[in-house]
């Protein structure tokens, strides 16, 4: 289970059965609005920092890959 915190700017992974925090997968993402796992296994995070954009992160490590839809597109 992945959860985004808009004001803190992080995305965390929680255990789906126990609700225990597993890890902070992505930090300082910039006002995350929603998260979606793509068919490629990567995570797509819709953010609202400096305009709406969709950023792509590695689905296992949380490492930033690229701006999938850049600000202003």
């Amino acid at each position: 289970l992945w959860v985004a915190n808009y004001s803190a700017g992080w995305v965390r992974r929680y255990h789906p059965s126990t609700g225990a925090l597993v890890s902070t997968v992505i930090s300082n993402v910039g006002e995350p609005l929603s998260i979606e796992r793509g068919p490629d296994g990567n995570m797509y995070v819709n953010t609202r920092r400096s305009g709406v954009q969709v950023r792509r992160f590695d689905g296992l490590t949380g490492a930033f890959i690229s701006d999938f839809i850049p600000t202003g597109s």
Side-chain angles (χ1 to χ4, degrees), residues 13-57:
R13 184 173 34 213
Y14 291 87
H15 190 278
S17 298
T18 66
L21 175 65
V22 175
S23 65
T24 298
V25 182
I26 303 166
S27 59
N28 198 25
V29 72
E31 302 172 346
L33 299 170
S34 61
I35 313 162
E36 188 72 36
R37 182 178 294 277
D40 57 2
N42 291 321
M43 300 304 291
Y44 294 81
V45 181
N46 181 12
T47 69
R48 199 187 119 182
R49 177 179 283 171
S50 303
V52 175
Q53 63 184 11
V54 177
R55 307 186 85 195
R56 180 179 13 218
F57 295 87

